[in-house]
Amino acid sequence: MNMKIIYKFIFISLFIIVPFSSSYAQNISMEYPRVMSSVRAMGMGNAFFGVSDDKWAAFYNPAGLARNKMHWQLDLIPIAVGINNNMLNTGQNVLNGGFNSNNMANTIDNLLGTYNSIAPVNSYMAFTYKNWSFGFFANANINLLTYNNINPTVAAKVRGDTGAVFTYAHSFLEDESLHFGASIYGLYRIGYQGSYNVVNSTNIDTNAIIKDALNNAGWGVFLSAGVMYELPWLRKVLNPRVGLSLNDVGFQTMKSYNRIDPSLNLSFAISPNWKFISSNIVIDFNDILFTNGNDQSFGKRVNIGAEIGFWNRLFLRTGFHQGYWTAGAGFDIWLLRFNYAYYTEELGAYAGQIPDERHVFEIVLGWDMMQDKKN
């Protein structure tokens, strides 16, 4: 099927809904840009560059895949959906009061000056075998902001990605303490930004919207590479390590706000383990050269996280993402894996300016086999 037809259907559906549903992001939103985000990682404050021991290594530190504990894993039907607190309240108010003009007017009045978002919405199907992984991904972010007391206006910012990714990692030295990895991915990205008030929201030109979105769309091919070294001190007890990764370097045809910038990321981690209990404690410094994004806030680039697992089936997570507390949980039972994360995304130019509280749920149907079971 022609991709333009698919995207046209998506954008027509979206902008029929947007003017009546609620509101969120704006042209000046400074959310830290990411191609794909792991729900597991977000529960840990997105401090994941020092772990990266699953398929998500492709978008964090590819070297971490060498530490993967699975002999093989197939994620056949993975779906993750995120939503912020304002959107939850908006949806409840609309459902309780109906779509009549009085309720919609009251809803918009209550939304003035607030953000609403459905982000991220993603799917990442992948097959992972020992030190390599291959998959297909899709990701969407819908951000709305309502402003202007005199003439209430909705600013909309929408972005969608589809692509494929391959990751390979290998361990070196006699004790296999040095890990190298690389990932390559290609994607097609489409995006749109626009504002709608009470007058023009009743006469939306969807053809103009689609034309503008396609004019700013494009494709790209990107490479990420990383190294991770397990330090010799107390290795059997704490497994301390340091990691460095260079992400998202490549060629792209995207324009303006759709472009993807490279980043250099540094991480420190320890992983104490006791029989049936596993753990990770991580601190990440993202984009240490300040090349990614549109601000120079150091606080937005520091993440701290922790994870504890029981029997490698039940997991609890917590951390600090951009200075805000996060929490998460997950379980893995036979064909079903579930993850939840609560976190706050900074939409302003510095940590603490415009916090946006979000909840994200992930369900994965698939199969896996632990390495120690392969014999």
Tab-separated table of all heavy atoms in Angstrom, residues 299-333:
chain	number	residue	atom	x	y	z
A	299	GLY	N	20.808	19.776	33.765
A	299	GLY	CA	19.884	18.983	34.577
A	299	GLY	C	19.000	18.066	33.763
A	299	GLY	O	18.637	16.978	34.217
A	300	LYS	N	18.652	18.474	32.529
A	300	LYS	CA	17.814	17.642	31.673
A	300	LYS	C	18.582	16.448	31.108
A	300	LYS	O	17.986	15.551	30.516
A	300	LYS	CB	17.246	18.474	30.517
A	300	LYS	CG	16.165	19.452	30.929
A	300	LYS	CD	15.660	20.259	29.749
A	300	LYS	CE	14.976	19.404	28.722
A	300	LYS	NZ	14.363	20.198	27.640
A	301	ARG	N	19.895	16.431	31.306
A	301	ARG	CA	20.723	15.384	30.713
A	301	ARG	C	21.261	14.385	31.742
A	301	ARG	O	22.063	13.520	31.394
A	301	ARG	CB	21.883	16.035	29.944
A	301	ARG	CG	21.420	16.710	28.661
A	301	ARG	CD	22.462	17.662	28.098
A	301	ARG	NE	22.140	18.067	26.732
A	301	ARG	CZ	21.239	18.989	26.418
A	301	ARG	NH1	20.578	19.611	27.373
A	301	ARG	NH2	21.002	19.288	25.144
A	302	VAL	N	20.832	14.505	32.988
A	302	VAL	CA	21.284	13.593	34.037
A	302	VAL	C	20.124	12.697	34.478
A	302	VAL	O	19.051	13.189	34.844
A	302	VAL	CB	21.834	14.373	35.255
A	302	VAL	CG1	22.272	13.391	36.347
A	302	VAL	CG2	22.992	15.262	34.845
A	303	ASN	N	20.341	11.390	34.423
A	303	ASN	CA	19.341	10.412	34.848
A	303	ASN	C	19.972	9.413	35.803
A	303	ASN	O	21.112	8.983	35.604
A	303	ASN	CB	18.754	9.667	33.644
A	303	ASN	CG	18.012	10.591	32.692
A	303	ASN	OD1	17.320	11.513	33.116
A	303	ASN	ND2	18.159	10.353	31.400
A	304	ILE	N	19.233	9.039	36.836
A	304	ILE	CA	19.685	8.055	37.819
A	304	ILE	C	18.593	7.012	37.974
A	304	ILE	O	17.406	7.356	38.071
A	304	ILE	CB	19.981	8.718	39.178
A	304	ILE	CG1	21.033	9.817	39.025
A	304	ILE	CG2	20.441	7.692	40.201
A	304	ILE	CD1	21.240	10.640	40.282
A	305	GLY	N	18.955	5.737	37.989
A	305	GLY	CA	17.934	4.701	38.073
A	305	GLY	C	18.385	3.443	38.777
A	305	GLY	O	19.580	3.183	38.925
A	306	ALA	N	17.416	2.660	39.220
A	306	ALA	CA	17.690	1.384	39.882
A	306	ALA	C	16.594	0.390	39.522
A	306	ALA	O	15.432	0.761	39.299
A	306	ALA	CB	17.763	1.556	41.397
A	307	GLU	N	16.987	-0.875	39.465
A	307	GLU	CA	16.057	-1.967	39.158
A	307	GLU	C	16.419	-3.166	40.007
A	307	GLU	O	17.594	-3.489	40.184
A	307	GLU	CB	16.137	-2.324	37.678
A	307	GLU	CG	15.299	-3.538	37.282
A	307	GLU	CD	15.527	-3.948	35.837
A	307	GLU	OE1	16.697	-4.264	35.500
A	307	GLU	OE2	14.566	-3.957	35.060
A	308	ILE	N	15.408	-3.837	40.567
A	308	ILE	CA	15.629	-5.083	41.281
A	308	ILE	C	14.688	-6.134	40.717
A	308	ILE	O	13.509	-5.853	40.473
A	308	ILE	CB	15.425	-4.906	42.809
A	308	ILE	CG1	15.765	-6.202	43.539
A	308	ILE	CG2	14.017	-4.435	43.138
A	308	ILE	CD1	15.870	-6.049	45.032
A	309	GLY	N	15.226	-7.318	40.437
A	309	GLY	CA	14.440	-8.392	39.846
A	309	GLY	C	14.443	-9.632	40.713
A	309	GLY	O	15.433	-9.929	41.397
A	310	PHE	N	13.342	-10.359	40.705
A	310	PHE	CA	13.189	-11.587	41.473
A	310	PHE	C	12.921	-12.744	40.518
A	310	PHE	O	11.942	-12.715	39.774
A	310	PHE	CB	12.044	-11.444	42.474
A	310	PHE	CG	12.200	-10.265	43.416
A	310	PHE	CD1	11.663	-9.021	43.094
A	310	PHE	CD2	12.900	-10.403	44.599
A	310	PHE	CE1	11.797	-7.946	43.944
A	310	PHE	CE2	13.047	-9.331	45.466
A	310	PHE	CZ	12.502	-8.097	45.140
A	311	TRP	N	13.806	-13.739	40.547
A	311	TRP	CA	13.707	-14.910	39.675
A	311	TRP	C	13.685	-14.522	38.192
A	311	TRP	O	13.208	-15.285	37.350
A	311	TRP	CB	12.465	-15.737	40.008
A	311	TRP	CG	12.433	-16.224	41.409
A	311	TRP	CD1	13.111	-17.280	41.949
A	311	TRP	CD2	11.658	-15.664	42.482
A	311	TRP	NE1	12.827	-17.405	43.278
A	311	TRP	CE2	11.933	-16.427	43.638
A	311	TRP	CE3	10.766	-14.588	42.581
A	311	TRP	CZ2	11.346	-16.154	44.861
A	311	TRP	CZ3	10.195	-14.310	43.792
A	311	TRP	CH2	10.471	-15.095	44.914
A	312	ASN	N	14.144	-13.341	37.886
A	312	ASN	CA	14.149	-12.825	36.510
A	312	ASN	C	12.742	-12.793	35.913
A	312	ASN	O	12.571	-12.845	34.695
A	312	ASN	CB	15.083	-13.655	35.620
A	312	ASN	CG	15.568	-12.870	34.419
A	312	ASN	OD1	15.930	-11.701	34.544
A	312	ASN	ND2	15.575	-13.498	33.259
A	313	ARG	N	11.733	-12.664	36.775
A	313	ARG	CA	10.338	-12.648	36.317
A	313	ARG	C	9.561	-11.442	36.833
A	313	ARG	O	8.654	-10.957	36.174
A	313	ARG	CB	9.626	-13.942	36.755
A	313	ARG	CG	10.167	-15.203	36.109
A	313	ARG	CD	10.048	-15.138	34.592
A	313	ARG	NE	10.612	-16.320	33.930
A	313	ARG	CZ	10.748	-16.431	32.613
A	313	ARG	NH1	10.376	-15.437	31.820
A	313	ARG	NH2	11.269	-17.520	32.073
A	314	LEU	N	9.885	-10.974	38.016
A	314	LEU	CA	9.193	-9.844	38.618
A	314	LEU	C	10.208	-8.731	38.884
A	314	LEU	O	11.274	-8.980	39.459
A	314	LEU	CB	8.518	-10.262	39.924
A	314	LEU	CG	7.821	-9.155	40.716
A	314	LEU	CD1	6.633	-8.601	39.927
A	314	LEU	CD2	7.351	-9.690	42.071
A	315	PHE	N	9.864	-7.489	38.478
A	315	PHE	CA	10.821	-6.389	38.555
A	315	PHE	C	10.176	-5.141	39.164
A	315	PHE	O	9.022	-4.816	38.863
A	315	PHE	CB	11.350	-6.045	37.157
A	315	PHE	CG	12.020	-7.187	36.459
A	315	PHE	CD1	11.281	-8.054	35.648
A	315	PHE	CD2	13.378	-7.420	36.612
A	315	PHE	CE1	11.888	-9.113	35.006
A	315	PHE	CE2	14.000	-8.479	35.976
A	315	PHE	CZ	13.261	-9.335	35.171
A	316	LEU	N	10.952	-4.453	39.991
A	316	LEU	CA	10.565	-3.162	40.549
A	316	LEU	C	11.637	-2.145	40.169
A	316	LEU	O	12.833	-2.456	40.208
A	316	LEU	CB	10.426	-3.246	42.068
A	316	LEU	CG	9.382	-4.228	42.602
A	316	LEU	CD1	9.429	-4.272	44.128
A	316	LEU	CD2	7.974	-3.850	42.127
A	317	ARG	N	11.208	-0.917	39.838
A	317	ARG	CA	12.139	0.082	39.331
A	317	ARG	C	11.837	1.463	39.907
A	317	ARG	O	10.691	1.779	40.213
A	317	ARG	CB	12.067	0.138	37.799
A	317	ARG	CG	12.319	-1.206	37.136
A	317	ARG	CD	11.994	-1.216	35.663
A	317	ARG	NE	12.177	-2.555	35.112
A	317	ARG	CZ	11.241	-3.264	34.492
A	317	ARG	NH1	10.031	-2.752	34.325
A	317	ARG	NH2	11.500	-4.474	34.042
A	318	THR	N	12.885	2.262	40.004
A	318	THR	CA	12.718	3.647	40.431
A	318	THR	C	13.909	4.455	39.933
A	318	THR	O	14.897	3.879	39.441
A	318	THR	CB	12.589	3.764	41.956
A	318	THR	OG1	12.205	5.101	42.312
A	318	THR	CG2	13.911	3.418	42.644
A	319	GLY	N	13.811	5.773	40.043
A	319	GLY	CA	14.920	6.597	39.586
A	319	GLY	C	14.561	8.068	39.578
A	319	GLY	O	13.511	8.486	40.097
A	320	PHE	N	15.449	8.871	38.996
A	320	PHE	CA	15.228	10.307	38.810
A	320	PHE	C	15.555	10.646	37.360
A	320	PHE	O	16.668	10.430	36.899
A	320	PHE	CB	16.104	11.121	39.766
A	320	PHE	CG	15.662	11.046	41.192
A	320	PHE	CD1	16.182	10.082	42.041
A	320	PHE	CD2	14.698	11.928	41.675
A	320	PHE	CE1	15.761	10.001	43.351
A	320	PHE	CE2	14.272	11.847	42.999
A	320	PHE	CZ	14.808	10.881	43.832
A	321	HIS	N	14.542	11.167	36.665
A	321	HIS	CA	14.680	11.544	35.255
A	321	HIS	C	14.594	13.054	35.150
A	321	HIS	O	13.563	13.656	35.468
A	321	HIS	CB	13.570	10.880	34.437
A	321	HIS	CG	13.516	11.308	33.002
A	321	HIS	ND1	14.574	11.131	32.135
A	321	HIS	CD2	12.533	11.911	32.273
A	321	HIS	CE1	14.241	11.590	30.940
A	321	HIS	NE2	13.013	12.074	31.003
A	322	GLN	N	15.692	13.685	34.777
A	322	GLN	CA	15.747	15.135	34.649
A	322	GLN	C	15.380	15.833	35.963
A	322	GLN	O	14.811	16.918	35.981
A	322	GLN	CB	14.819	15.603	33.524
A	322	GLN	CG	15.164	14.997	32.173
A	322	GLN	CD	14.207	15.407	31.074
A	322	GLN	OE1	13.076	15.813	31.324
A	322	GLN	NE2	14.652	15.302	29.839
A	323	GLY	N	15.689	15.174	37.080
A	323	GLY	CA	15.411	15.725	38.400
A	323	GLY	C	14.079	15.321	38.980
A	323	GLY	O	13.777	15.644	40.141
A	324	TYR	N	13.254	14.587	38.241
A	324	TYR	CA	11.936	14.166	38.704
A	324	TYR	C	11.939	12.674	39.043
A	324	TYR	O	12.542	11.864	38.332
A	324	TYR	CB	10.870	14.435	37.637
A	324	TYR	CG	10.784	15.872	37.200
A	324	TYR	CD1	11.273	16.266	35.953
A	324	TYR	CD2	10.208	16.834	38.018
A	324	TYR	CE1	11.180	17.590	35.535
A	324	TYR	CE2	10.112	18.163	37.608
A	324	TYR	CZ	10.608	18.532	36.371
A	324	TYR	OH	10.519	19.839	35.955
A	325	TRP	N	11.195	12.314	40.086
A	325	TRP	CA	11.115	10.920	40.536
A	325	TRP	C	10.355	10.066	39.531
A	325	TRP	O	9.366	10.515	38.939
A	325	TRP	CB	10.425	10.864	41.899
A	325	TRP	CG	10.217	9.471	42.405
A	325	TRP	CD1	11.164	8.591	42.844
A	325	TRP	CD2	8.955	8.788	42.518
A	325	TRP	NE1	10.583	7.402	43.226
A	325	TRP	CE2	9.225	7.495	43.033
A	325	TRP	CE3	7.625	9.143	42.238
A	325	TRP	CZ2	8.219	6.560	43.274
A	325	TRP	CZ3	6.630	8.206	42.477
A	325	TRP	CH2	6.929	6.941	42.988
A	326	THR	N	10.806	8.851	39.319
A	326	THR	CA	10.124	7.895	38.447
A	326	THR	C	9.903	6.581	39.187
A	326	THR	O	10.575	6.284	40.178
A	326	THR	CB	10.945	7.604	37.175
A	326	THR	OG1	12.097	6.816	37.516
A	326	THR	CG2	11.403	8.887	36.511
A	327	ALA	N	8.985	5.776	38.689
A	327	ALA	CA	8.719	4.465	39.268
A	327	ALA	C	8.226	3.530	38.177
A	327	ALA	O	7.632	3.974	37.183
A	327	ALA	CB	7.682	4.551	40.386
A	328	GLY	N	8.477	2.250	38.354
A	328	GLY	CA	8.035	1.286	37.353
A	328	GLY	C	7.981	-0.117	37.908
A	328	GLY	O	8.506	-0.403	38.991
A	329	ALA	N	7.332	-0.995	37.164
A	329	ALA	CA	7.228	-2.400	37.551
A	329	ALA	C	7.032	-3.229	36.291
A	329	ALA	O	6.607	-2.718	35.251
A	329	ALA	CB	6.067	-2.617	38.521
A	330	GLY	N	7.350	-4.496	36.388
A	330	GLY	CA	7.160	-5.386	35.254
A	330	GLY	C	7.145	-6.829	35.680
A	330	GLY	O	7.629	-7.179	36.761
A	331	PHE	N	6.547	-7.663	34.842
A	331	PHE	CA	6.604	-9.104	35.072
A	331	PHE	C	6.687	-9.820	33.735
A	331	PHE	O	6.252	-9.317	32.705
A	331	PHE	CB	5.416	-9.600	35.906
A	331	PHE	CG	4.067	-9.459	35.235
A	331	PHE	CD1	3.632	-10.385	34.287
A	331	PHE	CD2	3.225	-8.407	35.555
A	331	PHE	CE1	2.399	-10.273	33.676
A	331	PHE	CE2	1.986	-8.275	34.943
A	331	PHE	CZ	1.572	-9.220	34.008
A	332	ASP	N	7.264	-10.996	33.777
A	332	ASP	CA	7.465	-11.814	32.581
A	332	ASP	C	6.997	-13.224	32.903
A	332	ASP	O	7.640	-13.952	33.667
A	332	ASP	CB	8.951	-11.810	32.193
A	332	ASP	CG	9.221	-12.548	30.884
A	332	ASP	OD1	8.298	-13.228	30.384
A	332	ASP	OD2	10.344	-12.457	30.374
A	333	ILE	N	5.844	-13.616	32.365
A	333	ILE	CA	5.261	-14.927	32.646
A	333	ILE	C	4.946	-15.627	31.332
A	333	ILE	O	4.050	-15.215	30.602
A	333	ILE	CB	3.977	-14.806	33.501
A	333	ILE	CG1	4.290	-14.101	34.826
A	333	ILE	CG2	3.377	-16.178	33.762
A	333	ILE	CD1	3.082	-13.875	35.691
